Amino acid sequence: MNLEQIQKLESKLLLSTYDRYPVLLHKGQGVHVYDHKGRRYLDMLSGIGVNALGYAHPAITKTIAKQAKLLVHTSNLFYNEYQARLAAALTKISGMDRAFFTNSGTEAWEGALKLARAYARENNSNGAQPKWRILALENAFHGRTFGALATTHKEKYRAPFDPGLPGVSFVKFNDIADVERNFDDCGCAIGFGFLQGEGGIRPVSREFAEAARRLADKHNALLIADEIQSGLGRTGRWFGYQHYGIQPDMVTVAKPLAGGLPLGALLVSEKVSQCIHPGMHGTTFGGGPLVCAVALQVINTLQKDKMLNHVQKVGNYLRAQLEGLQKEYPAITEIRGLGLMMGVQLESADLAKAVHKQMLDRGIILNRTDENVIRFLPPFIIKKKHVDTVVRELGAILASTKTAMAAATGRNQ
């Protein structure tokens, strides 16, 4: 079927939840994907931060083929040989103690919220006063299930489904005074991404992160780190919080974990793990043998290939090239990010829309977030030559836009 036929069929049969790009993808190899006509695209988005090792990586395809012949699914009523091994790998690189496996990032975040409430209930020394409030940040995005949605800041995501989960309050981004005003003995947790993704690639300040850790300790509450997009090497370290020297009580991970297969994880400290017992939480599919086998291979490959060092080097190169563009084009108002999680803020949403469309027309996949931010989430395996291609095309688009705006100004004078 061609693109037009697929579009017609989807418009008739699927819920209208996605505003898709007009591209029908057929296959991928390395850092490129190919549409149904064979046109090649340089993917600087990696399936929204999922395909860290790119497409058709031999370590992943071999593991999938091997394990699929043995065991794909069993349910969590039985042991499989990969869950504990994967938990060992994740706790080692994260500094956490235990793991719970899910199908997605939003499910991992839901689990974190449930454990925060359960921990507070079991350890509440607040008398008759309930300890159940959860603090989240301005611009936060944690997912689309009900608890995750309640801790997602933008009203456009929450309003159609109100009333949401009660007990959630938002604090101003990087505002220490505001978090101090809102954090009291009724709070059971504060949760945020140390580097916000959907919120516009915004890093929290070291001072804010330290204040959040201090306040959580003071009120016997929990600090939850959302590493769904920033975790597992994307920032040049295994997790974003490791840039700050702060250890959370819970960590959520997902996107690149199983190389494109659906798998998330909730990592917790030993003290948090004591508040849950069999029957309180669970999943049918999470942590199946196929996805866990692949996730182990992903982590092993990242370690064997010293991929975090590569992410740091290429990420620094990407930032330097983008900063060079910024000096030439004032339409770039700010560049933010760490490693290969980078955002280019433009002067308007209209310009960001135009840049995104024209980059796609030129065979480069990016996306737009927070209205006027162009988001870069490439596969970890990209090289400097790929960065050069992207920056060259972005510069050409900004130059043509600048020329067009100058011409329009001249006509209006």
Side-chain angles (χ1 to χ4, degrees), residues 217-253:
D217 291 340
K218 176 183 177 181
H219 296 286
N220 194 24
L222 303 179
L223 174 59
I224 312 171
D226 183 341
E227 295 282 351
I228 293 165
Q229 188 170 135
S230 57
L232 297 172
R234 179 154 294 281
T235 66
R237 294 194 179 182
W238 283 113
F239 297 97
Y241 61 82
Q242 291 170 338
H243 292 272
Y244 295 77
I246 290 173
Q247 188 67 22
D249 300 296
M250 292 191 278
V251 180
T252 56
V253 296

Side-chain angles (χ1 to χ4, degrees), residues 1-17:
M1 299 181 73
N2 60 30
L3 175 61
E4 292 73 22
Q5 291 170 324
I6 291 290
Q7 288 174 321
K8 184 177 180 180
L9 193 62
E10 286 200 359
S11 67
K12 179 180 179 181
L13 296 173
L14 296 187
L15 285 179
S16 183
T17 52

Side-chain angles (χ1 to χ4, degrees), residues 17-18 62 67 82 86 90 92-93 110 149 191 209 218 233 238 265 295 313 322 340 348 363 368 371 383 388 396 399:
T17 52
Y18 304 110
K62 289 178 182 178
Q67 184 59 36
Y82 298 108
L86 179 57
L90 287 170
K92 182 177 180 179
I93 63 177
E110 293 284 338
L149 192 63
K218 176 183 177 181
W238 283 113
K313 291 177 182 178
L322 291 173
L340 290 176
S348 71
R368 183 175 65 97
E371 302 299 334
K383 300 178 180 179
D388 291 340

Side-chain angles (χ1 to χ4, degrees), residues 86 95 205 275 285 331 346:
L86 179 57
S205 68
C275 73
F285 292 103
L346 300 177

Side-chain angles (χ1 to χ4, degrees), residues 136-142 148-158 170-171 196:
L137 267 58
E138 181 182 59
N139 299 317
F141 181 92
H142 296 295
L149 192 63
T151 53
T152 291
H153 178 251
K154 289 186 179 179
E155 190 176 357
K156 71 176 183 179
Y157 295 118
R158 291 184 288 112
F170 293 98
V171 298
Q196 290 185 338

